[in-house]
Structures are given as structure tokens and as C-alpha cells.
């Protein structure tokens, strides 16, 4: 980790482990203290906006015009309201059902307004990092689909801001997979989910059924990490969404042309390839 930190910039978001409570959200009483510890650990500058506001959301731009990649880091913990909890099953942590309460927020109004501003910033590709899965909706663990009105708001915001080039990255679920959905934004949305980076998952043995009709290919149950590669040399640049194992070998891959992440002429979504 020290070697990694010394060689490349680290852009991080936290999950519930920083809250010391399973799947915790805005109800956690020490969330402000957790934010400070998080920012201290990742050496956030003293003048950073993240130290002046509630929540750890942030955004960065890399690359010149024509190759500009925007990284949007969402905070899905600090403001998130209560989830709709299923009756507890023996040997399992909390499981959830979609909430019918449309007053419950995931991002909080301030972060929602900020996200709308970020989606209007000029960029060729926008990687939106979420600690929980955005596309996969059938499993009963944490996910955006537990608050379906917020998930719909996210897709609507992407459409209304005409933000092209959006790709989601997510984690949390102790397995790797690539999901794709036509969410009505004018082009297919992809979610590259990788976890965990330091240990093989035991979830396959305990909970082998992991439904996801939006999955492209199979599930990777090994120690894994995600990679996004950009080939800007082609007239229509190529993006490779990858899940790699502990040896660095590619286990899962989805190739996407940059033109496929823009609305098709005349409206409608481009088909995934």
C-alpha cells in the first residue's frame, strides 16, 4: 500500500466499515469523526473542500480535451436514510427490500445539487464511483435499488444533464462482475464491480445464489480488483472494463467504444456490444 501510494494518486471513498456498524448511514453518531479520520489517512490537504463540508464526495479531472476523464466520488453513507430491513435469517447479516418511502435520501440534497453541477463539467468519460452497486437490483444486500426513487433520480439526472460517457465502478459485495442496463439515458450504463482486493470470497460457499439479470458474463469469486483501460489511439477510442485476479490476469472484460457511451442520433439507446 505504501508503494502504491508513493507512485500514483489515490482517490478514495468509504464504505460502512468506516462507520463501525454494518450497513450504517446517517444514523451513525460518529460520522463526522469518521470523515476526519478518513481524510487524515488519505492525506487530504487542509484546504480541501472535503474538510469544509459534510460528506466525502469529490471530483477530479485527468487528461487533455478529447481524452478528458472525470472521476466522481459519491458518498453513499453520510446522508443515507434508513433502509427497509427484511426479517433476519439465521447466519446472515441484515438483508433489504426496496423501500416504498420516497422521502428517504441516499445522497442528501446538497450532494445531489453538487452532482448535477459535476455532470455538466466538460468531459469525455465520467467514472462515477459508488461504494454500493448501482445497476444490479435483484440481490437483497445493499444497493442503489433499495431506494428505487433515488436510483431513478440518478438516471434522470444523467439524462437531463446530457452527460455522456458515464461508467459506474462499485464494490462491497465480495465478488467481481460487470453489469449493463438501458436506463433511458440514451446509451447503455455499465457498472464495474470489484471486491475484495486482499482476500478470496467465502460468499460463494455460503450464498451461491447471486441473481443479476444485468450481468455481462459470469461472476468472479476470487481475490480480484478492477481495471479500466483507455486506448485513445483509435478514431473511436476503446475502453476496456476488466476484473483481474490476484495475479493480474484478466478474468472478465467488456470492451466499449467511446461512441457507444453517447446517445444515438435521433434519440434512443445504442445497443451494447
Amino acid at each position: 500500500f505504501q508503494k502504491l501510494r508513493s507512485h500514483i494518486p489515490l482517490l478514495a471513498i468509504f464504505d460502512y466499515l468506516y462507520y463501525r456498524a454494518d450497513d450504517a448511514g446517517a444514523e451513525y453518531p460518529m460520522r463526522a469523526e469518521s470523515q476526519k479520520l478518513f481524510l487524515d489517512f488519505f492525506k487530504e490537504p487542509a484546504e480541501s473542500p472535503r474538510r469544509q463540508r459534510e460528506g466525502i464526495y469529490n471530483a477530479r479531472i485527468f487528461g487533455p480535451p478529447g481524452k478528458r476523464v472525470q472521476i466522481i466520488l459519491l458518498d453513499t453513507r453520510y446522508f443515507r436514510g434508513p433502509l427497509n430491513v427484511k426479517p433476519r435469517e439465521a447466519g446472515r447479516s441484515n438483508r433489504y427490500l426496496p423501500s416504498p418511502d420516497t422521502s428517504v435520501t441516499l445522497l442528501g440534497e446538497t450532494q445531489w445539487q453538487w452532482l448535477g453541477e459535476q455532470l455538466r463539467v466538460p468531459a469525455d468519460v465520467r467514472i462515477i464511483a459508488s461504494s454500493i452497486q448501482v445497476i444490479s437490483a435483484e440481490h437483497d444486500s445493499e444497493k442503489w435499488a433499495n431506494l428505487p426513487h433515488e436510483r431513478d433520480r440518478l438516471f434522470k439526472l444523467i439524462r437531463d444533464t446530457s452527460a455522456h460517457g458515464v461508467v459506474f465502478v462499485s464494490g462491497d459485495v465480495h465478488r467481481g462482475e460487470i453489469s449493463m442496463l438501458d436506463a433511458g439515458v440514451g446509451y447503455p450504463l455499465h457498472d464495474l464491480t470489484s471486491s475484495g482486493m486482499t482476500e478470496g470470497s467465502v460468499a460463494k460457499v455460503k450464498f451461491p445464489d447471486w441473481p443479476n439479470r444485468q450481468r455481462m458474463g459470469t461472476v468472479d469469486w476470487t481475490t480480484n480488483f478492477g481495471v479500466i483501460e483507455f486506448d485513445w489511439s483509435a478514431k473511436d477510442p476503446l475502453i476496456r472494463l476488466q476484473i483481474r485476479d490476484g495475479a493480474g490476469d484478466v478474468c472478465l472484460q467488456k470492451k466499449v467504444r467511446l461512441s457507444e457511451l453517447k446517445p444515438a442520433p435521433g434519440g434512443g439507446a445504442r445497443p451494447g456490444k
Side-chain angles (χ1 to χ4, degrees):
F1 179 81
Q2 295 295 339
K3 184 177 180 180
L4 181 70
R5 193 203 308 253
S6 68
H7 282 75
I8 63 170
L10 296 183
L11 306 181
I13 55 175
F14 55 32
D15 201 18
Y16 67 85
L17 295 177
Y18 271 90
Y19 278 21
R20 299 187 66 186
D22 194 27
D23 299 344
E27 77 283 358
Y28 181 60
M30 298 185 68
R31 57 184 181 157
E33 290 84 351
S34 289
Q35 176 172 335
K36 182 180 184 305
L37 290 170
F38 174 91
L39 297 176
D40 289 347
F41 180 82
F42 284 103
K43 303 183 185 302
E44 193 76 10
E47 66 277 10
S48 169
R50 297 171 104 184
R51 292 194 180 273
Q52 314 304 321
R53 65 191 180 204
E54 294 184 311
I56 61 154
Y57 55 93
N58 196 27
R60 291 276 301 275
I61 292 282
F62 297 89
K67 302 178 182 179
R68 186 173 290 168
V69 178
Q70 181 188 37
I71 311 293
I72 298 176
L73 308 172
L74 298 181
D75 187 334
T76 60
R77 292 287 158 199
Y78 200 96
F79 308 96
R80 200 215 69 214
L83 299 176
N84 186 15
V85 182
K86 291 174 63 176
R88 185 178 290 273
E89 301 175 27
R92 300 193 70 175
S93 57
N94 288 338
R95 305 289 100 183
Y96 308 100
L97 294 170
S99 175
D101 187 351
T102 58
S103 68
V104 178
T105 187
L106 181 59
L107 300 184
E109 197 57 37
T110 299
Q111 186 176 187
W112 273 117
Q113 295 303 315
W114 171 88
L115 178 58
E117 295 168 1
Q118 293 302 317
L119 290 175
R120 293 178 174 88
V121 173
D124 299 287
V125 179
R126 305 174 196 272
I127 300 174
I128 302 181
S130 167
S131 69
I132 55 176
Q133 288 187 300
V134 180
I135 299 301
S136 180
E138 295 173 82
H139 63 79
D140 58 3
S141 295
E142 273 202 285
K143 57 189 181 298
W144 273 75
N146 289 334
L147 298 175
H149 57 284
E150 291 286 85
R151 185 171 179 254
D152 290 344
R153 181 176 181 177
L154 176 64
F155 297 154
K156 183 177 185 299
L157 186 61
I158 294 171
R159 181 179 70 248
D160 291 350
T161 57
S162 301
H164 59 260
V166 170
V167 174
F168 296 107
V169 293
S170 59
D172 180 61
V173 294
H174 304 280
R175 67 210 84 201
E177 62 182 354
I178 303 171
S179 307
M180 186 179 74
L181 177 68
D182 177 359
V185 305
Y187 58 90
L189 293 175
H190 297 78
D191 190 351
L192 177 65
T193 303
S194 63
S195 52
M197 193 172 184
T198 60
E199 59 188 52
S201 175
V202 297
K204 183 178 182 180
V205 177
K206 296 176 67 177
F207 316 115
D209 182 21
W210 189 252
N212 180 7
R213 280 177 288 184
Q214 313 309 140
R215 181 184 302 127
M216 308 293 293
T218 62
V219 178
D220 183 81
W221 301 93
T222 67
T223 299
N224 65 79
F225 60 97
V227 172
I228 301 180
E229 291 186 338
F230 299 93
D231 181 356
W232 298 106
S233 62
K235 183 177 180 180
D236 189 358
L238 179 66
I239 304 169
R240 298 182 181 91
L241 308 176
Q242 300 176 343
I243 297 294
R244 298 194 182 195
D245 63 20
D249 295 328
V250 176
C251 301
L252 302 171
Q253 178 170 260
K254 177 68 164 59
K255 297 180 180 179
V256 185
R257 292 288 179 182
L258 187 59
S259 63
E260 297 173 37
L261 300 181
K262 299 178 181 179
R270 294 180 181 273
K273 295 182 180 179

